[in-house]
Amino acid sequence: MQALLVLSLLTLLPGLGLATTLHPQGDRMQRWCAAPALGLAALAATFGLVVLLGAWSMWLALVVTFLFQVWGLLTLRRFSAPAVQERDAWFRAQRARHRMWIGGAIALLGLLPVLAADLPQGVDWVGFTALAHHAMERGAFVSSSGHSWLYPPGFPALLAFLAQLTGAPLPSVGLAIGQFTLAALLLGMCSAMDRHGAGGEGILAMILAVGLFSKILDSGWPTVLSLALLPFNLGWMLEVDGPRPEKRLTLFLSAVASAFLHPAGAFLLMLLLVADVASQGLAKGQLDRLRLR
């Protein structure tokens, strides 16, 4: 519980700053729902970059975390909400809050088995805790015998940081990150789909993705963490308005950041980028009729 609370506090300001910067037209509910996933991915990916550069230390991780908090606070203080577009205003006026409450209640029921767990299942957590232990002791994924490990560094680095910050055991901290990530994904999908008038339905769609729950219970935490940037990018790419090159650049950078966490998220984001480019290509010339069919 301590790790969950600390993680919630550390990801709040960076997440709100990113949500405000990337989607200034969003209302308060959309930004707050998107914040946990965005802040978590930003923090973990940056930690992974620090490990990859060979500069990992607890002090540097604290400095990075502090800079994220300052940036998020300054971004929120400088933010001035733009005029609401007619499309967004209509969606918000037609927002079916009862569906969102129903979807949220079902999501909470689905989360209970995951949140009630106090020890990780499966065997993957042994490897993650070993990598985090190496980072805590030596500042790199290097064993006492001098052997180095090749693995996306974001999750083990975040695990090491939270374990040192809270003093909690590594396995329980890893499970807490997995639990927080799953809740952040549900909220992120709610934000992304609410931008298109389907917040409650978006939560229910995530509930049907039982593989995410099994991944958390089976200690596949990095895989699920790498999906943290998927809901926001999915909601953004579905919008017709806005400059397409900027959206594609953000999508590409999100895929690069996800690669520091796990290849699964990076592959999905790159496939989304390829799908967007392909759909735009089919909308031109003689292929337009084929696309419509």
Side-chain angles (χ1 to χ4, degrees), residues 210-226:
V210 293
L212 293 176
F213 291 84
S214 63
K215 272 292 184 181
I216 296 298
L217 291 174
D218 198 35
S219 67
W221 307 316
T223 305
V224 182
L225 179 60
S226 68

Side-chain angles (χ1 to χ4, degrees), residues 44-56:
T46 305
F47 284 171
L49 178 61
V50 172
V51 172
L52 194 65
L53 294 175
W56 176 260

Side-chain angles (χ1 to χ4, degrees), residues 279-280 282-284 287-293:
S279 65
Q280 291 295 311
L282 289 175
K284 298 177 181 178
L287 294 176
D288 183 46
R289 188 180 300 276
L290 176 63
R291 178 186 66 88
L292 293 176
R293 288 178 180 176

Side-chain angles (χ1 to χ4, degrees), residues 217-250:
L217 291 174
D218 198 35
S219 67
W221 307 316
T223 305
V224 182
L225 179 60
S226 68
L227 305 178
L229 293 174
L230 187 60
F232 176 83
N233 281 282
L234 181 62
W236 201 16
M237 298 305 288
L238 288 175
E239 292 183 353
V240 179
D241 299 330
R244 219 63 196 171
E246 179 183 338
K247 293 183 179 182
R248 289 172 181 172
L249 177 60
T250 303

